[in-house]
Amino acid sequence: MAYEQKTKENDKDVMEFIEQVDHPRKKEDAYKLIDIFTETTGYEAKMWGESIIGFGSYHYKYPTGHEGVAPLVGFSPRKAKISLYFATGDQQREKLLADFGKHKSGKACVYINKVDDIDVDVLKALIRQSVTFLRETYPD
């Protein structure tokens, strides 16, 4: 039985989704992030699943045979924090995060409270690095 991917690109309206964000600052930050990600990647914002705003996509296949399609980079304005999605397994990420500003880091996500807490130039570098890393790792 093939694995059914939960988080897929869909036709939901990104702006409509952002308008439903409760917190005014988080909503404002979501619009700022859309501009930053769009400008940096050259890709249009698309909804992935219920709550992820993704940019571009790539096809991955693991040695286990598990494969799917995921956004190159993205973010989600969650209730507690804003989740930023970058490539996993990229060694450059930690170096860049050293100068990023106030954040917490998970395996696949970097969490921030607000855009004002971070260095936007470092964010752009993280986005570019992630896209480059994924294109080199999965040259599909």
Side-chain angles (χ1 to χ4, degrees):
M1 188 179 131
Y3 168 81
E4 180 62 31
Q5 200 173 322
K6 283 186 199 72
T7 309
K8 292 188 212 164
E9 186 180 321
N10 59 61
D11 291 332
K12 290 188 184 128
D13 190 295
V14 173
M15 297 309 164
E16 228 169 78
F17 169 70
I18 290 175
E19 282 306 314
Q20 292 166 2
V21 172
D22 288 340
H23 199 288
R25 190 190 66 218
K26 210 159 254 164
K27 190 182 289 186
E28 192 183 310
D29 278 352
Y31 282 119
K32 278 185 198 165
L33 288 168
I34 282 193
D35 288 346
I36 294 165
F37 276 82
T38 303
E39 183 190 307
T40 309
T41 64
Y43 292 107
E44 192 186 332
K46 298 274 190 189
M47 288 303 300
W48 287 74
E50 294 302 309
S51 61
I52 294 174
I53 300 168
F55 299 81
S57 66
Y58 69 101
H59 178 259
Y60 62 86
K61 188 170 187 170
Y62 298 136
T64 59
H66 174 84
E67 62 181 302
V69 177
L72 287 165
V73 287
F75 72 93
S76 182
R78 307 219 183 257
K79 279 196 172 29
K81 300 208 182 273
I82 297 171
S83 304
L84 304 172
Y85 299 95
F86 303 115
T88 51
D90 182 7
Q91 302 307 310
Q92 296 302 310
R93 189 172 91 164
E94 291 311 308
K95 288 182 195 137
L96 289 167
L97 285 173
D99 300 317
F100 191 47
K102 194 176 160 192
H103 73 281
K104 284 194 168 61
S105 197
K107 189 178 167 190
C109 297
V110 174
Y111 306 97
I112 63 170
N113 289 317
K114 56 186 191 286
V115 173
D116 288 346
D117 286 345
I118 60 164
D119 184 324
V120 171
D121 289 334
V122 176
L123 173 58
K124 290 178 181 176
L126 281 160
I127 294 168
R128 282 192 296 269
Q129 175 56 35
S130 207
V131 170
T132 301
F133 173 80
L134 289 169
R135 288 228 174 96
E136 287 168 0
T137 309
Y138 304 100
D140 202 82

